[in-house]
Amino acid sequence: MALNPNVYMPPAMAYATRERDRPKPAPVPYLGEYFFASRDTCHVSISGGGDDRFNHSGKGRVFLTNYRMIYLPDKPQGEFRGIELPLLFIQDFDVCQPILGANYLHGHCRRVDDPMGSPMLKWKLRFINGGMGTMVPLFYSTVAYIRTASQRQGGESHQQAPVVDEQKVDEMYKPPPFVANAVVDPNDPTIVYIVEQPPVPQEEPAVEPKFPTAKKND
């Protein structure tokens, strides 16, 4: 888990005359990173870990990729402008469906620079606008997919981003089967990137992440 991932502002569409249609900040992808889904109007709370900079509670947008889950708040608070949760660092996650209140996903995550055994941060993702029948299954499938790939490569010791085949850079995005066949819940406003990736800034070269990832298996 790391604070304030790099972000950029996507270009505005011609029809974006209303406030809700105007572009919002989005994460700059790492080398070899693919976006699987995103969702607006989530309530996220972060606490623990012994560092007050990570304590946060607010609404914003959540992204799910093959490397991480990213949260960007609608209104930054102090030094907190966003946070990334590496999927290989997420532990003890579960989904809760209370009788009263919104459904939520919660768990723990180690900070990127902390050694093993350090206090972990607690995170909670509440779905305050609509259902969770798309986002939650995608999250579980993505974590399972990444952990399986990591185990095949020798575990969390892998520190390098996937090798990018330059001949495939311009090809159409081909998501893993669990993304391409994702069940779309009509009550869940999650956007699933099945056909193509969201636009990214061409002027900013992709860099390798500072946390372990799993290589993409062709």
Side-chain angles (χ1 to χ4, degrees), residues 1-5 7 25 42-48 51-62 69-85 111 121-124:
M1 182 179 284
L3 280 179
N4 305 330
V7 300
C42 294
H43 187 280
V44 174
S45 58
I46 310 285
S47 63
D51 190 335
D52 291 341
R53 295 178 304 160
F54 287 83
N55 293 335
H56 173 85
S57 180
K59 293 191 296 183
R61 192 178 185 189
V62 172
M69 184 164 66
I70 310 108
Y71 163 65
L72 300 179
D74 292 337
K75 296 180 180 179
Q77 300 174 4
E79 295 184 33
F80 192 104
R81 300 186 302 276
I83 197 166
E84 61 184 14
L85 287 71
R111 290 184 300 196
L121 292 165
K122 299 178 182 179
W123 58 270
K124 180 185 292 186

Side-chain angles (χ1 to χ4, degrees), residues 81-158:
R81 300 186 302 276
I83 197 166
E84 61 184 14
L85 287 71
L87 297 181
L88 287 177
F89 286 4
I90 292 178
Q91 299 180 19
D92 307 323
F93 57 90
D94 195 10
V95 62
C96 292
Q97 298 176 276
I99 296 177
L100 298 176
N103 299 326
Y104 63 90
L105 187 64
H106 68 111
H108 295 82
C109 187
R110 193 173 86 237
R111 290 184 300 196
V112 170
D113 297 328
D114 284 353
M116 295 291 291
S118 300
M120 303 189 76
L121 292 165
K122 299 178 182 179
W123 58 270
K124 180 185 292 186
L125 167 59
R126 294 176 59 226
F127 303 101
I128 58 177
N129 181 26
M132 60 177 186
T134 300
M135 189 63 166
V136 167
L138 270 178
F139 172 81
Y140 273 80
S141 297
T142 301
V143 172
Y145 170 78
I146 295 304
R147 289 184 175 179
T148 298
S150 178
Q151 290 171 0
R152 290 174 180 171
Q153 297 158 20
E156 194 185 81
S157 60
H158 177 65

